[in-house]
Amino acid sequence: MNVKVCIVGLGYIGLPTAAVLAEKGFLVHGVDVNEEAVHSINNGEVHIYEPDLDKVVKKVVTAGKLTADIVPMKADIFILAVPTPFKENHKPDLAYVESATKSIIPYIEPGNIIILESTSPIGTTEKMAEWILHERTDLSMDENKSNQIFVSHCPERVLPGQILKELIENDRTVGGINKTSTQKTAEFYESFVEGKVLQTNAKTAELTKLTENTYRDVNIALANELSMICDDLEIDAWELIKLANHHPRVNILQPGPGVGGHCIAVDPWFIVDAAPKRANLIHTARNVNDAKPQFVLQKVKEAMRMFVNPSIACLGLSFKANIDDLRESPAVEIVSKLASLSNHSIYVSEPHITQLPLNLQKLNIQLAGTEDALKYADIVLLLVEHDYFKLIDPISLENKIVIDTKGIVQMDSKPKAIKSI
Ligand code: SAJ
């Protein structure tokens, strides 16, 4: 097989996709604006952490199946996997999708398939097609014309930490800007995906992806709201949710310090933006989840009043368990706000990093091993449920105030007080 694929964006989605496709026999050319990332990939190394990704990248680069560059090249299939953040007013920011599209325009030839994998607001795939046709009047979207190109959305669905497995096993939704685009794109995914490849139109595919992440956001908001209600009522939220989930048709997710990452806390805003008058529940859920870090901070402040110069151990910084990704992490938000308060020392333990992110380096915070952080702590603030923290010896929590936002501290230890929120 000599099908050439050009992937623009070699981040948490693009690089694993490039590696998996190369392993499946495609000839893959990856593109990124980050020259250091390009350089390390060409050396068979990875610039992000994802289990086993390093091994696969090394293998496919050595075999000559994956190359990286800062510029695209001609290919049969183009995949865009770039970020779609929002601007300050929660309006979608399509700048990366636009610049990625513009970067491939000179390389597109009739018969090519162009796929947007980035999670996108409704109408983005059509916009992408318009940008291409505007600059390339020699191409067309007309079905059965010899200069036809195919444009589709196939939103990524993979969970960080399980990306290599989920890229192959998950069902996919493909929505083209016309029927032939949908069919051609679906055939491509069927050639390497073991799950079902479901066909629809571009707009429905876009909203499907936003709906998946919104479902999760709304469900987590319910858990977070319940945890704050439980705090007022002195009920253990974790026990409550566990019991309620024994009902065969109830499945409440877990509360936490807030919702982080670049997907679940972002995508619902795209629905709110598209339907501001209708999206009341979705909007409220976002506000509930965004308010949770402030609530946790308030609990820590209350505990701090019991000491003159308290030492606080903050356990975990990443946006969720067992990964090194700190982007949009509620733990980072909480720790940096804590640091702005006075008369205390803060020790942060995050086993997946070797140095603090730049915004925390400037603050009065020490990165420490878990044991050291706990040794002198008056207050222990548990922010991420890393497997590593589940092994903490309960004795090291004795006589400390433990604020456990992820419900992992064993109750048989004898802390001074546990606030499980
Ligand atoms: N979280 C909770 N309670 C829970 C589950 C999650 O507070 O019960 C928090 C996490 O701690 C984290 C945030 O939510 O801060 C998001 O974590 P996540 O594991 O739910 O999701 P992501 O952002 O890593 O990945 C999601 C996935 N979407 C769904 O599960 C519907 C993934 O499949 C998507 O590909 C990804 O978004 C994406 O890129 O859109």
Side-chain angles (χ1 to χ4, degrees), residues 403-419:
I403 299 175
D404 180 6
T405 70
K406 291 306 302 183
I408 70 168
V409 173
Q410 298 301 316
M411 291 299 182
D412 55 5
S413 59
K414 294 190 195 79
K416 230 183 220 162
I418 289 190
K419 291 230 57 110

Side-chain angles (χ1 to χ4, degrees), residues 13 119 155-161 166 170 209 211-217 219-221 223-224 238 252-265 267 289 318-321 323 327-330 383-385 405-406:
I13 303 300
T119 306
E156 58 86 7
R157 264 187 172 166
V158 288
L159 195 71
E166 292 205 356
N170 286 2
K209 167 64 197 232
T211 300
E212 291 159 12
N213 281 353
T214 299
Y215 160 80
R216 212 155 155 87
D217 197 46
N219 195 331
I220 298 168
N224 276 333
W238 301 89
I252 304 167
L253 290 175
Q254 304 301 306
V259 171
H262 19 276
C263 309
I264 294 193
D267 301 352
N289 286 334
S318 59
F319 87 80
K320 65 177 192 174
I323 60 168
R327 291 176 298 169
E328 318 301 328
S329 169
L383 292 165
V384 186
E385 73 278 33
T405 70
K406 291 306 302 183

Side-chain angles (χ1 to χ4, degrees), residues 196-330:
K196 292 195 188 88
V197 179
L198 307 156
Q199 301 189 19
T200 179
N201 56 45
K203 275 173 140 186
T204 310
E206 285 158 352
L207 187 56
T208 304
K209 167 64 197 232
L210 301 179
T211 300
E212 291 159 12
N213 281 353
T214 299
Y215 160 80
R216 212 155 155 87
D217 197 46
V218 171
N219 195 331
I220 298 168
L222 173 63
N224 276 333
E225 187 161 290
L226 281 170
S227 77
M228 294 185 279
I229 292 170
C230 282
D231 186 68
D232 291 347
L233 302 179
E234 297 185 355
I235 289 170
D236 179 347
W238 301 89
E239 187 191 0
L240 172 91
I241 291 172
K242 208 159 141 193
L243 292 171
N245 283 349
H246 272 272
H247 186 290
R249 285 173 295 283
V250 175
N251 185 15
I252 304 167
L253 290 175
Q254 304 301 306
V259 171
H262 19 276
C263 309
I264 294 193
V266 175
D267 301 352
W269 288 118
F270 295 172
I271 301 186
V272 173
D273 182 63
K277 294 214 174 95
R278 296 273 181 215
N280 299 323
L281 174 67
I282 296 171
H283 197 164
T284 304
R286 271 287 68 243
N287 288 339
V288 169
N289 286 334
D290 273 355
K292 192 71 192 285
Q294 195 53 41
F295 178 84
V296 174
L297 200 63
Q298 199 49 43
K299 293 287 142 191
V300 183
K301 281 188 194 167
E302 282 167 22
M304 283 169 70
R305 283 191 209 114
M306 298 167 64
F307 304 90
V308 183
N309 286 310
S311 174
I312 307 168
C314 300
L315 305 188
L317 273 187
S318 59
F319 87 80
K320 65 177 192 174
N322 304 322
I323 60 168
D324 69 338
D325 192 345
L326 308 188
R327 291 176 298 169
E328 318 301 328
S329 169

